[in-house]
Amino acid sequence: MVTIKQIAEKAGVSTATVSNVIHGKVNKVSPVMVEKVNKLIDEMGYIQPMGLSVLHKGNSRLVACVVNYHLDFKDSFLADPFYGKVVGAVEEELRKAGYYMLLHADRDVDSIFKMAMTWNVDGIIAVSMSDISCEKLASMTKKPVVSIDYYTLGKESLGLVPNIGLNDVQGGE
């Protein structure tokens, strides 16, 4: 893996100059040097580590996909056609948008809450959770939450979390 130091040595500049070019802070770097450093970045195949990007930009490019499954599965919850299709489609769309998916599935909703509080994600997609749990997740994390196929617990939710789902009663008719 190519380092900033290697690019700096090849360009004949400091590592700070290369770092400034990478992060778009080019007001003190000549246009000729910006072009030279960018060309070396491309030629040498430099890829910025995600951890550093998070520190500089403040967002993680991670979206948590949390699944609160309710059945026992022989192999994995992903073997279930519903969960497999949903998780696969979510991951594909996130990747197209330049995000990465952090997947966490558990029967225990408290485990999901704990995971969501631990990671610095940019948003959460909740699958098969109750409306109340989705709202609690949004309140606890202060992150946007979108639900796929939530269910109501018979209590009045605040309607703070958008849901992508089906009308099971109408579908049954």
Side-chain angles (χ1 to χ4, degrees):
M1 184 170 177
V2 177
T3 66
I4 288 176
K5 184 177 180 182
Q6 291 170 322
I7 294 169
E9 288 172 357
K10 191 143 187 163
V13 297
S14 69
T15 56
T17 298
V18 175
S19 179
N20 285 335
V21 171
I22 289 169
H23 296 105
K25 299 176 184 177
V26 296
N27 56 339
K28 295 182 181 178
V29 183
S30 74
V32 171
M33 189 52 65
V34 169
E35 186 177 335
K36 181 178 182 178
V37 170
N38 278 327
K39 185 176 178 189
L40 286 170
I41 287 169
D42 290 340
E43 287 175 2
M44 297 173 74
Y46 175 77
I47 298 172
Q48 184 176 2
M50 283 298 296
L52 296 176
S53 178
V54 170
L55 291 174
H56 289 290
K57 296 178 183 171
N59 62 357
S60 65
R61 309 298 296 167
L62 283 173
V63 173
C65 180
V66 296
V67 180
N68 184 216
Y69 61 86
H70 306 282
L71 302 172
D72 287 324
F73 295 98
K74 181 180 176 188
D75 298 315
S76 163
F77 82 99
L78 286 173
D80 179 278
F82 173 75
Y83 292 125
K85 288 275 189 186
V86 168
V87 170
V90 166
E91 189 282 330
E92 183 178 355
E93 292 304 316
L94 287 172
R95 189 171 12 96
K96 286 179 187 175
Y99 286 84
Y100 299 91
M101 182 174 77
L102 173 65
L103 176 62
H104 183 84
D106 204 316
R107 291 180 68 138
D108 178 15
V109 74
D110 288 329
S111 168
I112 292 171
F113 293 152
K114 184 178 178 181
M115 183 285 307
M117 295 295 294
T118 304
W119 287 86
N120 177 31
V121 296
D122 292 341
I124 301 168
I125 298 171
V127 182
S128 296
M129 291 180 71
S130 73
D131 53 352
I132 303 299
S133 292
C134 288
E135 289 178 1
K136 183 176 178 180
L137 190 58
S139 175
M140 290 171 66
T141 62
K142 307 290 189 251
K143 302 290 182 174
V145 175
V146 173
S147 175
I148 298 175
D149 198 34
Y150 75 32
Y151 58 94
T152 57
L153 290 175
K155 301 174 185 175
E156 191 171 320
S157 72
L158 300 174
L160 301 176
V161 175
N163 181 51
I164 302 164
L166 303 172
N167 183 329
D168 293 334
V169 173
Q170 188 179 17
E173 290 174 358

